[in-house]
Each structure stands twice: as structure tokens, then as C-alpha cells.
Amino acid sequence: MKKILITGGAGFIGSHVVRLFVNKYPDYQVVNLDKLTYAGNLANLKDIENKSNYTFVKGDIVDAAFISDLFATHKFDAVIHLAAESHVDRSISNPLEFVMTNVIGTVNLLNAAKANWTAAPNNRFYHVSTDEVYGTLGETGMFTETTAYDPHSPYSASKASSDHFVRAYHDTYGMDVVISNCSNNYGSYHFPEKLIPLSIYNIKNNKSIPIYGKGENVRDWLFVEDHARAIDVIFHNAKTGTTYNIGGHNEWTNIDLIRLLCKIMDKKLNRAQGESAKLITFVKDRAGHDLRYAIDSTKLQKELGWTPSLQFEEGLEKTVEWYLQNEEWLNNVTSGDYKKYYEQQYTKR
Ligand code: NAD
Ligand code: DAU
């Protein structure tokens, strides 16, 4: 029997990880710790909230005393750490918030784990990280686990820093740690500030789709449930101190991706083909915009046997259907504070 702390479980990826662990491992006790920022939403976990092996705790990983008490109370066997500020654009306007949660918050969790875990072998600290720590690629090549860190945005700099702290706790204190660096996720419960859900929301509401620069930047997209499966496999099987890259081998320029999305939306909304694409609007580029990410996940595939399950078109269509069927979720997350953010970000363009 394991007691696992999952942080950030009310967010996009975290909610899929919590759901997977609660359903697949009835013998595990899963504690979901989340501050419920604008990005955290308990509605993401409605289907499992009453399960006997699931507990939700509201709290802030930046609060060291609170984290220390939480560890003393729960005696966790392991941590899967996803809580973070995750949006690059927000990191450009408010870097300090990213340092607080992503760096200080991670070190607080490491310290609490170190204080409580005297017998290292059965206590694992898993940090869920991003491919953005590797910086940007030119037209060729892929990120491997040995690519040097070269972050450019305040977001990726904060994630790189937290990765370094996690490794330092392994090298210095012998803590059992693993890290995975994943490419761009898409799927259900994705907050509509990120490219795919924002575009679905805007197309649905006949608003313009903002494409930064010329839309030539490339991202490598992975279905979120495939990421959650990879986390499960790595958590249970990785050797201590190791890193795995996770990615879908699925590169798209932003403009090609949005054209495909527009086609799917036209079909699903019974619009004439070409109608949604008229909403595409090229806007000022993101500062320091990384040109291209591409993940080489050979190590994960060869050593642990994980492979992505979905073709992109199928996953994207599934995702569009989910958003169209979950209008109440979309209306809820886009009301309140989000409205202000949305207006500042998009309507002035
Ligand atoms: P998200 O923004 O959807 O969710 C983050 C969650 O963390 C939210 O529920 C939020 O309430 C919680 N949180 C934020 N600050 C907190 C704090 N101080 N204390 C406690 N909880 C706090 O993010 P996501 O897209 O699900 O990303 C999850 C993790 O995966 C992050 O660490 C991110 O860096 C990493 N990641 C994301 C992607 C992606 O494509 N979204 C890809 C690779 C890695
Ligand atoms: O690569 C993994 C990372 O992917 C994660 O670590 C981050 O948490 C996650 O947010 C994501 O970062 P990106 O910056 O790549 O995702 P985003 O959806 O914000 O942007 C995807 C691409 O689309 C990027 O090139 C910027 C562009 N874009 C984005 C938005 C929001 C636009 O052209 N217009 C937009 O309105």
C-alpha cells in the first residue's frame, strides 16, 4: 500500500494523472494537493472525487510550514510533482510568480521529503518537467536526455532551475528522484489560454484566432492521456536518478495545426469548409519565442516500452468533441478573472 502525494492534480495534466492513479491503483491512497489558482479546477475531477482512495487538500507549495505539516500528517511514500505556473505568456509578464511556485515551491517539497524520508529506497520524488528546458531547435535535430539545458523564457528558466534542484537532492542527499521532460500536451480539461483550447473557444464563439508571428514555430504534440500513461510507467519502473523525454513524434507548425483544427471545427459545427479559417489573425510575436521543439523519446520507448496511442488527427477530433460537449466547463473557466485576462490579451489586438 502506497500513499502518494500528487501536486497540481486539479490542473490539466495533473487531473489526468490523478484519475489514472486513483482508478488503476485502488490500493494506493492518492492525496491531491492544489492551490486552485486560475488554472486549477475541481470540476476536472468530478468523476473520481468520491472514491475512497482519493483525498483533496487545498494548499500552496510556496508555504514551507504548511508543506512540512502536511508531510508530517500524511507520511507520504512518494511524490509526483506537477504543481506549477505553466503558461509562457504569463511568465513574460510576471516572472516572480514562476520563481515562487516553480522553484521555491519545488524546493519546499524536496525539503519536506528529505526531512521525512530516512529510508530512501521506497520513497520516490518524481518531477514532471518540460522539453522547454532544452531551449530551441533549428530546422533539424531533436532533444535527447543529454541535450544541454538552454532555457529562454522565464517559465522554462524556472522549470530548468527546479530540475537542477531535484537532481541536486539526488546527488547531495541520495534522494530517489526521477524527472521527465515532455513536449506540448493537448486534450480535455486544457485551460483555454493555451493555443489549442483557446483556438477551439475562439472558433466556437466566432472570435479571431491569434497566431503569433508568421505561425512558423513548431511544437511536438502529445495526447495528455498518453503523457499520464508515461508518468505511470516511469514512476513505477525508472531507475533512481534518471531522466526520460516524453513526446509524440508529432511536429506541427502552428499555422498548419490551426488550419487542421479549423477544418475539424467546420465539420463539427456544420459550417462551410473554410469558414473557421477566416478567423485566423497574425499578431505580434511572443518575446523570445522558441522556434522549434522536437522530442526524441527512444529511451522511454526502448527501456520502458511506452508508445503514444493516438494519431494526432484522431486525438484532435476527440479533443474538439470534448470541448463542444462540455460547454458548461468551458463557460465556467472562462468567466470571472479569466474574462479580464482574455480581454487584455486578445481583444486589443
Ligand atoms: P496547469 O497550469 O493546467 O496546472 C497547474 C496546477 O498547479 C493547477 O491546478 C494550479 O492550481 C496548481 N498550482 C499552481 N501553483 C500552485 C501552488 N503554488 N501550490 C499548489 N498548487 C499550485 O499546468 P499543466 O499544463 O497541467 O502542467 C502540469 C505540469 O506539467 C507543470 O509542472 C508543467 O510545467 C508540466 N508540463 C506541462 C506541459 C503542457 O503541455 N501543458 C508539457 C510538459 C510539462
Ligand atoms: O513544450 C511543453 C510546454 O508546452 C509546456 O511546458 C508548457 O507548460 C505549455 O504551456 C506549452 O508551452 P507553449 O508555449 O509551447 O504552449 P502554448 O499553447 O502557449 O503555445 C503553443 C504555440 O502556439 C507557441 O509557439 C506559441 C503559439 N501561440 C500560442 C498562443 C497562446 C500562438 O500563436 N497564439 C496564441 O494565442
Side-chain angles (χ1 to χ4, degrees):
M1 169 115 156
K2 270 198 167 75
K3 192 166 198 178
I4 304 182
L5 172 67
I6 300 184
T7 70
F12 166 47
I13 301 170
S15 62
H16 286 280
V17 175
V18 166
R19 178 175 298 102
L20 177 68
F21 272 69
V22 166
N23 287 332
K24 187 169 173 189
Y25 302 107
D27 290 348
Y28 292 4
Q29 282 297 322
V30 173
V31 176
N32 170 15
L33 166 66
D34 200 295
K35 184 180 171 185
L36 300 181
T37 66
Y38 77 93
N41 186 354
L42 288 179
N44 297 2
L45 291 164
K46 266 258 160 287
D47 53 324
I48 57 119
E49 69 185 2
N50 293 321
K51 296 252 177 171
S52 58
N53 63 337
Y54 171 70
T55 310
F56 173 70
V57 177
K58 183 168 190 264
D60 187 344
I61 58 169
V62 177
D63 183 344
F66 163 76
I67 294 297
S68 164
D69 285 351
L70 188 76
F71 272 73
T73 307
H74 285 277
K75 310 268 179 273
F76 299 116
D77 298 301
V79 175
I80 304 179
H81 174 35
L82 296 104
E85 286 294 333
S86 67
H87 192 36
V88 173
D89 292 331
R90 289 183 190 251
S91 82
I92 293 169
S93 40
N94 189 0
L96 198 54
E97 183 105 34
F98 284 67
V99 176
M100 295 311 291
T101 288
N102 299 0
V103 185
I104 308 288
T106 301
V107 176
N108 282 339
L109 289 166
L110 288 165
N111 280 340
K114 179 161 86 65
N116 283 273
W117 293 349
T118 40
N122 296 316
N123 298 129
R124 170 151 284 190
F125 192 104
Y126 182 155
H127 186 223
V128 175
S129 191
T130 172
D131 60 355
E132 298 200 11
V133 299
Y134 299 124
T136 185
L137 293 162
E139 284 183 4
T140 56
M142 295 181 116
F143 298 134
T144 70
E145 287 80 1
T146 55
T147 302
Y149 275 32
D150 182 22
H152 297 129
S153 72
Y155 163 70
S156 53
S158 70
K159 291 296 289 187
S161 172
S162 52
D163 282 0
H164 289 321
F165 272 105
V166 172
R167 286 199 186 93
Y169 274 60
H170 173 72
D171 297 346
T172 310
Y173 308 113
M175 192 182 282
D176 175 1
V177 309
V178 286
I179 296 176
S180 57
N181 298 89
C182 188
S183 62
N184 287 62
N185 286 215
Y186 71 98
S188 54
Y189 303 108
H190 203 184
F191 194 79
E193 63 184 351
K194 312 279 167 57
L195 180 66
I196 290 180
L198 171 75
S199 302
I200 294 174
Y201 177 70
N202 284 11
I203 294 169
K204 184 171 174 289
N205 294 299
N206 267 310
K207 292 173 189 285
S208 64
I209 311 165
I211 303 290
Y212 298 163
K214 294 183 180 156
E216 285 167 354
N217 302 67
V218 174
R219 296 293 182 264
D220 178 353
W221 294 92
L222 178 70
F223 191 57
V224 64
E225 292 173 37
D226 282 333
H227 186 190
R229 276 195 308 108
I231 290 172
D232 176 20
V233 169
I234 293 167
F235 175 73
H236 286 99
N237 300 294
K239 285 201 193 108
T240 184
T242 51
T243 293
Y244 285 92
N245 279 355
I246 311 172
H249 238 289
N250 179 42
E251 291 180 52
W252 288 79
T253 61
N254 294 334
I255 187 64
D256 285 349
L257 185 161
I258 292 304
R259 288 203 178 110
L260 171 63
L261 181 67
C262 286
K263 270 195 198 158
I264 296 173
M265 290 292 286
D266 281 341
K267 195 168 76 183
K268 300 285 170 194
L269 295 170
N270 295 319
R271 290 182 183 166
Q273 276 297 325
E275 203 54 32
S276 299
K278 290 183 191 154
L279 298 168
I280 293 174
T281 311
F282 293 95
V283 299
K284 187 165 170 270
D285 208 353
R286 172 185 278 173
H289 198 172
D290 286 337
L291 177 67
R292 174 173 166 257
Y293 305 144
I295 276 278
D296 180 348
S297 60
T298 309
K299 181 179 171 192
L300 176 60
Q301 304 207 16
K302 283 213 167 128
E303 289 184 5
L304 304 184
W306 171 91
T307 47
S309 70
L310 272 191
Q311 290 297 314
F312 187 52
E313 292 205 18
E314 190 187 347
L316 198 56
E317 192 156 335
K318 227 172 132 163
T319 302
V320 167
E321 280 164 8
W322 185 87
Y323 278 91
L324 296 179
Q325 283 157 13
N326 286 274
E327 198 158 327
E328 194 184 333
W329 183 91
L330 196 54
N331 288 341
N332 283 342
V333 302
T334 51
S335 59
D337 279 355
Y338 177 82
K339 257 200 175 128
K340 243 186 290 159
Y341 170 80
Y342 183 89
E343 276 155 20
Q344 277 165 3
Q345 286 289 114
Y346 305 112
T347 44
K348 66 174 189 241
R349 282 177 164 146

